[in-house]
Structure formats: structure tokens, C-alpha cells
Amino acid sequence: MFDFIKDNLILNDPMLIGANISILLSVIGIVFILTYFKKWKWLWTEWLTTVDHKKIGIMYIIAAIVMLFRGGVDALLMRAQLTVPNNEFLTSHHYNEIFTTHGTIMIIFMAMPFVMGLMNVVVPLQIGARDVAFPYLNALSFWSFFFGAILFNISFVFGGSPDAGWTNYAPLAIEGSTGPGINYYLLGLQISGIGTLLTGINFIVTIIKMRAPGMTLLRMPMFTWTSLVTAFIIVFAFPVLTVTLALMTFDRIFGTHFFTLADGGMPMLWANLFWIWGHPEVYIVILPAFGIFSEIISAFARKTLFGYKSMVISIVTISFLSFLVWVHHFFTMGGSAAVNSVFSITTMAIAIPTGIKIFNWLLTLYKGRIEFSVPMLWSVGFIPTFLIGGVTGVMLGMAAADFQYHNSYFLVAHFHYTLIAGTVFACFAGFVFWYPKMFGHKLNERLGKWTFWFFTIGFNVCFLPQFLLGFDGMPRRVYTYGPEDGWTGLNVISTIGGIGMGIAFMILVYNVYYSFRYSKRETTGDVWGNGRTLEWATTTAVAPHYNFAVVPEVKGYDAFWLMKQEKQKEKIEYKPIHMPSNAGTPIVMSAFFFVAGFGLVFKLWWIAILGGIGVLACLAVRSLRSHKEDEGYYVSVDEILKTEEKKEA
């Protein structure tokens, strides 16, 4: 075992040695703090075993921000490498590893968990529920994601990272990469994907079955609508990824030939299956963003969302079309003109419902009493930025034009304009907007505006030049170039923009610390004063663990705004509230998934079997104890009164 650790611990690169030391010091520091302040029991009972949807949402968001840091450092390393020609800062192999982990982390381990964190915090509150339909499953979803992310990330310092791009194309990923990196990719995504699929099922049932009385489908807030549609996409798309990853795992570990060049394998099958999942995946992270912007624009324009029904129809249409466009990723791979034409039309058709939504937001702003707070800045800044991503997407959707653009930096600029504007802007907007719901105080406005301007200007300075680099012939995925290519100036500008985005991230982190120390603590649930949906109807800024003392009755769209108009104060008669108990098996079971995955990565069968037995044992324990764990407990009327009286005080 000692030889195994010595052979795989990466100690031949100064950067990775620094990363090893940083990780080790961070772990020692966390253990010391928890021990010194005697917080181990608090950590276990309040967080590690919690099934409260709000706390699970916070843990998703914290993990996503850590992953944003990791993916952002990868991006800056790539920009450092490409700033000047013939640069030897990174080797070609190290560059391949970094751009693979950057793409995978940003899509799978940053964007999705950030969105799911916001869904967890907000959706049950928006529909007037006390929790999600399956709280135990929700905890298991988070811990599966978390341990999948850990498994993927330790490849950085132990054994070597995946290096076949975030799309992991066969046969390169099977026959061209012999280290354990691709195994990390396959097993890490597989374990994490289990959690995502469970989340999709959970939120469909939650939204369909647990809405407050009176909340019909066409009275649901727009963020809840986009979350519901996203959950359906997850349930239809993720099983494809699960099967695809399993088949390649068999190829790499057990020697089968599903995607190899030899023995009847079909490498193109991987590309098809990957993008049948991959393109809906884009909408899994973007559709909730549309819901976030809708809530914020409506709240800070002090108007009901314009064209609500058309917005719902647009979102459902986009979700349907998202499954019909995957072939546009290989227009240049030998498809017939007829096939390319069909998928070209379906791709460009998505621009129609997307355009409808943009007009709806603009018409909501029209004649509104607009307040340009930080969430609103992110929302307004999103519209022109995302428009650039959308228009260039239509250009790429034309099969003939795609032959020119698809392998150039034009494509790199396009998908960053789509995904950063469509998701990262929304994550920041939703994070600031709902921050008081999570922590009881607002983030500092001045620092928030610094973050917005540094990030937005840095983003455009970084990626606008990349459209020009694409026109000038710079191919994507290159790790260096010569001075005679003439790309140096634009790459220098692009790197300066990347540094601006990095500064914005640092200001955001400082803002969290500064606001924790100095911001005023909110005493009301409607902390912005513009709340229109039910999450703002809770008694205190941070909702109590039971959310609502009495389940609210919904009388129309913008339910809380209508309640405020009525201004009726009825005498409330409280009743005991049933809540679910904490559970320790989700984290333990996910840890065993990690153990089994690690064993498979290195083909250490005894570790893999040990992990598998652990998973089965946890399932058995859950089955034997489910009647007890599902029994839950009741919040007494006295406790409810005490909590509600705090608000009155």
C-alpha cells in the first residue's frame, strides 16, 4: 500500500506540490478549529445529518463556490499559458488536464450544484411547503454529489487528472489515455449523477404534490416553474448519461468494446449518447436562471411579470427542443445534408421562445419603478450579454457556417457568453437576492456593485476578443502558438479580462466576510420590501425549520404581494407541526460510494468490494430503520408560539 501511495502521489510538479501542501494545511486548520471550539457534535447534528432543505441548499452553494474557485484557477492558468506565444509555463499534457477539469468542474460541479442549492433553499418556500417530498432522499442527493466531486478532484494530486476534454470523446478517452484520470472522470460523474437524478425525481413530486392550497399550476412563481421543467429534463436526460458512463467504465476496466476502434466498437456512439444528455444539460443549468431573473426583475421593477403564460409556454417549448438538437455538435462529421438541415432548423428554432422571454423581461421593466440594487444589476446586465451568446448560437446553428466556426475560438467565446451570462450571472443574482433567506442579513451593496462591475467588464474584455481570434483562425484546444500567427495582442487583452473576473471573485468572498461582521441583522421576512412570492412571507428573515407556522392560502399569482394588499390580520390558531428526523445514513452511504469508486479507479478490487458491501449495508440499515426514521417528530405549539413571538417582538 505504501508503494501504491508513493507511486501515485504527484510530487514532480511545483504547482501540485503547493496544492498538496495547501490542502493538507487547510484540513489541519479545519480539524483544529472544530476541536478547539468543540464543534464536532454541532457539525454532525446541525449539518452533516440534516434533512432541512434550507441547510442542504446552503451546503450545495458553499460546495459550488469552492468549485468555482477551483475552476477559476484552472481558467487563469490556461490564460497565463496562452498570453504570449511559445510559452512553456505549462506542458501540453498539463494543459490538457487543466482544460478538461475546468470544463467538467464548471458544468457538473459548479453550475448544477449552485442552481440546485438555490432550488433547495427557495422552491419549498415559494410553494408554501414545509420541506421537500423526500427529505431523506434530498440528503442522499447532496452527499452523493459531494463525494462524487471529491473523487473527481483528488485526481489533481493523486494519480493524475483526466485529459480528454470535458466531453471525454472516445476513442481518445479509452485508447489514448492510459492513466487513472479518465476513470476518475467516469466514476466521479457517475456517483454525482445519482444525486442529480434523485433531486430531479424529488422536485417533481414536491412541486406537483406539495403546493399550498390555491396554488394552481398557473399561479406558481416563475422560478418554481423553471425548476419543475428542469427536474423533468433531468429525469429524462440523466439516465442516458448513467448508461453511457457505465459502458465506458466497462471498456476501460473490464476490457469490453462498446466505444473502441477495434472489435466492433463504435466511437461515434459515445458522441451521440454524450450529446443526447449534453445538450439538455445546457438547459438544466440555464432554465432555472431564467426563473431567477424573472423573480428579481419583477420584484425590483415592482410589477407583475409581463406575459406570464407565454413565459411558461416558452420554457416548456425550450425543454422539448433541447432534446432535438444534439446533432449540431457534429455537423462536420459526415452527416448528410438532410440530417444537418433538420438539426439546423431545430437548433435555430430555440431562438424563438428565448426571444419571447427577453421581450417579456423588457416589457416588465417598461414603466416600472426600478430599483438598481445588486441583484437587479446582475439581471439587467444579463440581457445584452446573453443576447450576444444567443445570436452567435444562431450563427453556429447554420450547418454551412458551422464548418467555418466550430473548431475555432469563436465557439469558445460563444459558449462562455451563453453559459456565464445565462448561469453564472443568475447564480450571483440569486445568491445576493436570497442571501438574507439563508443567513439573516444582506450582503454589502457597495462591495456587491464592485463585484458586478469588475466581473462584467472583465468578462467582456476576456471573451469579446476571442470572437476575433476565432475569425482570425485560432483553433480551440491549442496550448501554444507562434508569434507569426498574430494572435498575441488579443490574447493579452483576453488574459487581462480574466484577471478582472478573478478580482471580482475575491471581492465577493471578502463581501461575505465583511457582511457577516458588519451588516445589520434583518428582523422581517420581507427583507427587500419588494417581495411578491411566498418565500418572503415567513415570519423571520431566515425561515424557521418548519417554514410556515400555518400553511398559507394562495389567492392568485404573486401570492405574497396579494396578501400585503389585503392587510388582514386574523387570529391564528396554531397546531403541532410534523417534521422529519435527521439521518446519518445518507452521508455514510455516499462515503461508501466514494470508497467503491476509488477502488474501481485503480482496479483495487478489495477496496471496491468493501465499498459496495458498505453501500448494501447502509441500504439494509435504512430498510430496517425506515419506519423509525420516517416517524419524525412534532414541533409543539409552545415552540411555535415562542418562535412567532420573537418576530412580533
Side-chain angles (χ1 to χ4, degrees), residues 119-144:
M119 284 165 62
N120 260 286
V121 171
V122 177
V123 168
L125 290 166
Q126 277 198 337
I127 62 173
R130 293 212 163 90
D131 207 323
V132 294
F134 307 114
Y136 181 94
L137 211 59
N138 202 25
L140 183 61
S141 300
F142 169 74
W143 289 114
S144 297

mmCIF file of all heavy atoms in Angstrom, residues 119-144:
data_model
loop_
_atom_site.group_PDB
_atom_site.id
_atom_site.type_symbol
_atom_site.label_atom_id
_atom_site.label_comp_id
_atom_site.label_asym_id
_atom_site.label_seq_id
_atom_site.Cartn_x
_atom_site.Cartn_y
_atom_site.Cartn_z
ATOM 1 N N MET A 119 -32.483 26.128 -5.688
ATOM 2 C CA MET A 119 -33.778 25.424 -5.749
ATOM 3 C C MET A 119 -34.143 24.876 -4.369
ATOM 4 O O MET A 119 -35.286 24.976 -3.920
ATOM 5 C CB MET A 119 -33.711 24.277 -6.769
ATOM 6 C CG MET A 119 -33.767 24.720 -8.214
ATOM 7 S SD MET A 119 -33.266 23.435 -9.386
ATOM 8 C CE MET A 119 -34.469 22.174 -9.115
ATOM 9 N N ASN A 120 -33.163 24.280 -3.695
ATOM 10 C CA ASN A 120 -33.433 23.713 -2.373
ATOM 11 C C ASN A 120 -33.847 24.773 -1.369
ATOM 12 O O ASN A 120 -34.770 24.565 -0.579
ATOM 13 C CB ASN A 120 -32.174 22.989 -1.859
ATOM 14 C CG ASN A 120 -32.263 21.493 -2.063
ATOM 15 O OD1 ASN A 120 -32.983 20.810 -1.357
ATOM 16 N ND2 ASN A 120 -31.570 21.003 -3.059
ATOM 17 N N VAL A 121 -33.166 25.906 -1.400
ATOM 18 C CA VAL A 121 -33.486 26.955 -0.432
ATOM 19 C C VAL A 121 -34.855 27.560 -0.723
ATOM 20 O O VAL A 121 -35.659 27.796 0.188
ATOM 21 C CB VAL A 121 -32.396 28.059 -0.471
ATOM 22 C CG1 VAL A 121 -32.824 29.268 0.360
ATOM 23 C CG2 VAL A 121 -31.063 27.521 0.045
ATOM 24 N N VAL A 122 -35.152 27.785 -2.001
ATOM 25 C CA VAL A 122 -36.276 28.658 -2.349
ATOM 26 C C VAL A 122 -37.569 27.912 -2.702
ATOM 27 O O VAL A 122 -38.654 28.322 -2.262
ATOM 28 C CB VAL A 122 -35.865 29.576 -3.532
ATOM 29 C CG1 VAL A 122 -37.031 30.452 -3.964
ATOM 30 C CG2 VAL A 122 -34.673 30.437 -3.138
ATOM 31 N N VAL A 123 -37.483 26.850 -3.503
ATOM 32 C CA VAL A 123 -38.709 26.266 -4.062
ATOM 33 C C VAL A 123 -39.723 25.818 -3.002
ATOM 34 O O VAL A 123 -40.907 26.168 -3.083
ATOM 35 C CB VAL A 123 -38.373 25.120 -5.044
ATOM 36 C CG1 VAL A 123 -39.618 24.313 -5.404
ATOM 37 C CG2 VAL A 123 -37.754 25.694 -6.310
ATOM 38 N N PRO A 124 -39.308 25.038 -1.970
ATOM 39 C CA PRO A 124 -40.322 24.657 -0.963
ATOM 40 C C PRO A 124 -40.980 25.871 -0.320
ATOM 41 O O PRO A 124 -42.182 25.842 -0.026
ATOM 42 C CB PRO A 124 -39.507 23.842 0.048
ATOM 43 C CG PRO A 124 -38.359 23.303 -0.732
ATOM 44 C CD PRO A 124 -38.005 24.393 -1.694
ATOM 45 N N LEU A 125 -40.191 26.931 -0.099
ATOM 46 C CA LEU A 125 -40.785 28.152 0.480
ATOM 47 C C LEU A 125 -41.747 28.801 -0.504
ATOM 48 O O LEU A 125 -42.823 29.280 -0.123
ATOM 49 C CB LEU A 125 -39.674 29.137 0.858
ATOM 50 C CG LEU A 125 -38.800 28.748 2.057
ATOM 51 C CD1 LEU A 125 -37.553 29.618 2.113
ATOM 52 C CD2 LEU A 125 -39.592 28.896 3.350
ATOM 53 N N GLN A 126 -41.369 28.833 -1.783
ATOM 54 C CA GLN A 126 -42.222 29.501 -2.779
ATOM 55 C C GLN A 126 -43.567 28.814 -2.955
ATOM 56 O O GLN A 126 -44.552 29.452 -3.327
ATOM 57 C CB GLN A 126 -41.502 29.548 -4.136
ATOM 58 C CG GLN A 126 -40.536 30.705 -4.266
ATOM 59 C CD GLN A 126 -40.173 30.993 -5.706
ATOM 60 O OE1 GLN A 126 -40.270 30.128 -6.582
ATOM 61 N NE2 GLN A 126 -39.751 32.228 -5.975
ATOM 62 N N ILE A 127 -43.614 27.504 -2.723
ATOM 63 C CA ILE A 127 -44.897 26.805 -2.911
ATOM 64 C C ILE A 127 -45.623 26.613 -1.579
ATOM 65 O O ILE A 127 -46.637 25.930 -1.516
ATOM 66 C CB ILE A 127 -44.709 25.442 -3.613
ATOM 67 C CG1 ILE A 127 -43.839 24.498 -2.766
ATOM 68 C CG2 ILE A 127 -44.125 25.624 -5.000
ATOM 69 C CD1 ILE A 127 -43.769 23.082 -3.327
ATOM 70 N N GLY A 128 -45.084 27.181 -0.506
ATOM 71 C CA GLY A 128 -45.761 27.099 0.796
ATOM 72 C C GLY A 128 -45.647 25.751 1.464
ATOM 73 O O GLY A 128 -46.514 25.381 2.265
ATOM 74 N N ALA A 129 -44.569 25.000 1.159
ATOM 75 C CA ALA A 129 -44.382 23.672 1.759
ATOM 76 C C ALA A 129 -43.426 23.760 2.946
ATOM 77 O O ALA A 129 -42.688 24.731 3.089
ATOM 78 C CB ALA A 129 -43.827 22.702 0.717
ATOM 79 N N ARG A 130 -43.447 22.727 3.782
ATOM 80 C CA ARG A 130 -42.556 22.730 4.945
ATOM 81 C C ARG A 130 -41.222 22.063 4.646
ATOM 82 O O ARG A 130 -40.261 22.233 5.364
ATOM 83 C CB ARG A 130 -43.233 22.036 6.125
ATOM 84 C CG ARG A 130 -44.425 22.794 6.643
ATOM 85 C CD ARG A 130 -44.620 22.611 8.128
ATOM 86 N NE ARG A 130 -45.499 23.622 8.649
ATOM 87 C CZ ARG A 130 -46.822 23.511 8.728
ATOM 88 N NH1 ARG A 130 -47.402 22.402 8.322
ATOM 89 N NH2 ARG A 130 -47.546 24.497 9.209
ATOM 90 N N ASP A 131 -41.156 21.285 3.598
ATOM 91 C CA ASP A 131 -39.896 20.649 3.189
ATOM 92 C C ASP A 131 -40.137 20.062 1.804
ATOM 93 O O ASP A 131 -41.216 20.237 1.224
ATOM 94 C CB ASP A 131 -39.462 19.566 4.190
ATOM 95 C CG ASP A 131 -37.943 19.365 4.189
ATOM 96 O OD1 ASP A 131 -37.343 19.448 3.109
ATOM 97 O OD2 ASP A 131 -37.376 19.145 5.253
ATOM 98 N N VAL A 132 -39.151 19.342 1.284
ATOM 99 C CA VAL A 132 -39.353 18.635 0.024
ATOM 100 C C VAL A 132 -40.134 17.337 0.300
ATOM 101 O O VAL A 132 -40.302 16.939 1.454
ATOM 102 C CB VAL A 132 -38.005 18.315 -0.654
ATOM 103 C CG1 VAL A 132 -37.297 19.578 -1.087
ATOM 104 C CG2 VAL A 132 -37.119 17.496 0.267
ATOM 105 N N ALA A 133 -40.557 16.679 -0.770
ATOM 106 C CA ALA A 133 -41.374 15.477 -0.596
ATOM 107 C C ALA A 133 -40.589 14.356 0.085
ATOM 108 O O ALA A 133 -41.150 13.617 0.904
ATOM 109 C CB ALA A 133 -41.889 15.010 -1.963
ATOM 110 N N PHE A 134 -39.313 14.211 -0.251
ATOM 111 C CA PHE A 134 -38.494 13.132 0.299
ATOM 112 C C PHE A 134 -37.233 13.728 0.921
ATOM 113 O O PHE A 134 -36.170 13.772 0.282
ATOM 114 C CB PHE A 134 -38.120 12.135 -0.805
ATOM 115 C CG PHE A 134 -39.302 11.605 -1.572
ATOM 116 C CD1 PHE A 134 -39.462 11.912 -2.919
ATOM 117 C CD2 PHE A 134 -40.258 10.815 -0.955
ATOM 118 C CE1 PHE A 134 -40.550 11.433 -3.641
ATOM 119 C CE2 PHE A 134 -41.352 10.330 -1.663
ATOM 120 C CZ PHE A 134 -41.502 10.644 -3.006
ATOM 121 N N PRO A 135 -37.322 14.181 2.187
ATOM 122 C CA PRO A 135 -36.159 14.831 2.825
ATOM 123 C C PRO A 135 -34.937 13.921 2.929
ATOM 124 O O PRO A 135 -33.811 14.364 2.737
ATOM 125 C CB PRO A 135 -36.693 15.202 4.215
ATOM 126 C CG PRO A 135 -38.172 15.215 4.083
ATOM 127 C CD PRO A 135 -38.500 14.194 3.051
ATOM 128 N N TYR A 136 -35.174 12.649 3.245
ATOM 129 C CA TYR A 136 -34.057 11.692 3.351
ATOM 130 C C TYR A 136 -33.328 11.587 2.011
ATOM 131 O O TYR A 136 -32.100 11.634 1.925
ATOM 132 C CB TYR A 136 -34.609 10.342 3.787
ATOM 133 C CG TYR A 136 -33.568 9.262 3.962
ATOM 134 C CD1 TYR A 136 -33.001 9.015 5.210
ATOM 135 C CD2 TYR A 136 -33.174 8.478 2.885
ATOM 136 C CE1 TYR A 136 -32.054 8.021 5.365
ATOM 137 C CE2 TYR A 136 -32.233 7.497 3.031
ATOM 138 C CZ TYR A 136 -31.669 7.259 4.273
ATOM 139 O OH TYR A 136 -30.730 6.271 4.413
ATOM 140 N N LEU A 137 -34.119 11.473 0.946
ATOM 141 C CA LEU A 137 -33.546 11.353 -0.401
ATOM 142 C C LEU A 137 -32.790 12.623 -0.773
ATOM 143 O O LEU A 137 -31.775 12.579 -1.479
ATOM 144 C CB LEU A 137 -34.683 11.118 -1.398
ATOM 145 C CG LEU A 137 -34.382 10.293 -2.637
ATOM 146 C CD1 LEU A 137 -33.904 8.902 -2.261
ATOM 147 C CD2 LEU A 137 -35.612 10.213 -3.530
ATOM 148 N N ASN A 138 -33.274 13.753 -0.289
ATOM 149 C CA ASN A 138 -32.617 15.020 -0.580
ATOM 150 C C ASN A 138 -31.218 15.053 0.027
ATOM 151 O O ASN A 138 -30.263 15.520 -0.612
ATOM 152 C CB ASN A 138 -33.464 16.164 -0.004
ATOM 153 C CG ASN A 138 -33.188 17.482 -0.678
ATOM 154 O OD1 ASN A 138 -32.737 17.525 -1.832
ATOM 155 N ND2 ASN A 138 -33.441 18.577 0.016
ATOM 156 N N ALA A 139 -31.102 14.560 1.269
ATOM 157 C CA ALA A 139 -29.780 14.499 1.904
ATOM 158 C C ALA A 139 -28.862 13.548 1.136
ATOM 159 O O ALA A 139 -27.685 13.847 0.901
ATOM 160 C CB ALA A 139 -29.924 14.052 3.355
ATOM 161 N N LEU A 140 -29.412 12.415 0.719
ATOM 162 C CA LEU A 140 -28.608 11.452 -0.049
ATOM 163 C C LEU A 140 -28.151 12.068 -1.378
ATOM 164 O O LEU A 140 -27.021 11.850 -1.826
ATOM 165 C CB LEU A 140 -29.429 10.184 -0.297
ATOM 166 C CG LEU A 140 -28.716 9.045 -1.035
ATOM 167 C CD1 LEU A 140 -27.496 8.569 -0.250
ATOM 168 C CD2 LEU A 140 -29.667 7.870 -1.268
ATOM 169 N N SER A 141 -29.025 12.853 -2.005
ATOM 170 C CA SER A 141 -28.662 13.525 -3.262
ATOM 171 C C SER A 141 -27.454 14.423 -3.053
ATOM 172 O O SER A 141 -26.503 14.413 -3.851
ATOM 173 C CB SER A 141 -29.828 14.380 -3.764
ATOM 174 O OG SER A 141 -30.961 13.593 -4.010
ATOM 175 N N PHE A 142 -27.502 15.238 -1.993
ATOM 176 C CA PHE A 142 -26.384 16.160 -1.775
ATOM 177 C C PHE A 142 -25.089 15.415 -1.520
ATOM 178 O O PHE A 142 -24.050 15.705 -2.118
ATOM 179 C CB PHE A 142 -26.660 17.104 -0.592
ATOM 180 C CG PHE A 142 -25.424 17.868 -0.202
ATOM 181 C CD1 PHE A 142 -24.966 18.910 -0.996
ATOM 182 C CD2 PHE A 142 -24.674 17.492 0.909
ATOM 183 C CE1 PHE A 142 -23.783 19.578 -0.678
ATOM 184 C CE2 PHE A 142 -23.494 18.161 1.227
ATOM 185 C CZ PHE A 142 -23.055 19.211 0.438
ATOM 186 N N TRP A 143 -25.145 14.420 -0.622
ATOM 187 C CA TRP A 143 -23.893 13.739 -0.269
ATOM 188 C C TRP A 143 -23.347 12.914 -1.425
ATOM 189 O O TRP A 143 -22.134 12.758 -1.565
ATOM 190 C CB TRP A 143 -24.092 12.891 0.991
ATOM 191 C CG TRP A 143 -24.245 13.758 2.211
ATOM 192 C CD1 TRP A 143 -25.346 13.898 3.001
ATOM 193 C CD2 TRP A 143 -23.265 14.664 2.751
ATOM 194 N NE1 TRP A 143 -25.124 14.821 3.993
ATOM 195 C CE2 TRP A 143 -23.854 15.301 3.875
ATOM 196 C CE3 TRP A 143 -21.957 14.992 2.408
ATOM 197 C CZ2 TRP A 143 -23.168 16.246 4.632
ATOM 198 C CZ3 TRP A 143 -21.268 15.924 3.164
ATOM 199 C CH2 TRP A 143 -21.877 16.543 4.264
ATOM 200 N N SER A 144 -24.221 12.388 -2.298
ATOM 201 C CA SER A 144 -23.734 11.693 -3.499
ATOM 202 C C SER A 144 -22.997 12.669 -4.400
ATOM 203 O O SER A 144 -21.905 12.367 -4.908
ATOM 204 C CB SER A 144 -24.896 11.071 -4.272
ATOM 205 O OG SER A 144 -25.539 10.105 -3.505
#
